[in-house]
Amino acid sequence: QVQLVESGGGLVQAGGSLRLSCAASGSIFNAMDWYRQAPGKQRELVAAITRGGSTNYADTVKGRFTISRDNAKNTVYLQMNSLKPEDTAVYYCRVTTYTNTYWGQGTQVTVSS
């Protein structure tokens, strides 16, 4: 049974930093991604990382966010620097196995101006 546990969200002032973590268990995971959904908006991809370490970022976060993973711990991280009010959203971890896709419960990130 696959389980995802997210942590690290919170309230921060503009220009600040937060680090999100998502610990997965129960399978071997290929891609591990972070998505976000702001009120009234569609869920969007923020950053993605393959098992081999290749990364992909949304244009809006390039140069500010860094995704990384520890395969031994089945954990993916999102280091968020220079946060802006428009980064305010619920952030979701998503992981894929060879057969399925799983979502975390989401963690709120609020950036005040």
Side-chain angles (χ1 to χ4, degrees), residues 27-103:
S27 186
I28 296 173
F29 302 101
N30 297 323
M32 302 182 86
D33 315 319
W34 287 99
Y35 281 73
R36 68 185 180 187
Q37 188 166 20
K41 294 188 176 181
Q42 290 188 329
R43 192 172 296 188
E44 63 176 0
L45 177 67
V46 176
I49 186 167
T50 67
R51 188 168 182 82
S54 297
T55 58
N56 184 41
Y57 295 92
D59 288 342
T60 53
V61 307
K62 282 181 181 177
R64 301 188 297 122
F65 291 10
T66 302
I67 190 170
S68 61
R69 65 189 283 172
D70 184 334
N71 289 334
K73 296 181 179 179
N74 276 336
T75 300
V76 61
Y77 307 95
L78 186 67
Q79 178 66 44
M80 304 185 293
N81 299 328
S82 302
L83 282 161
K84 304 175 180 180
E86 51 263 44
D87 294 318
T88 295
V90 177
Y91 283 70
Y92 297 91
C93 170
R94 189 189 80 161
V95 302
T96 58
T97 66
Y98 287 108
T99 56
N100 287 300
T101 298
Y102 301 89
W103 291 88

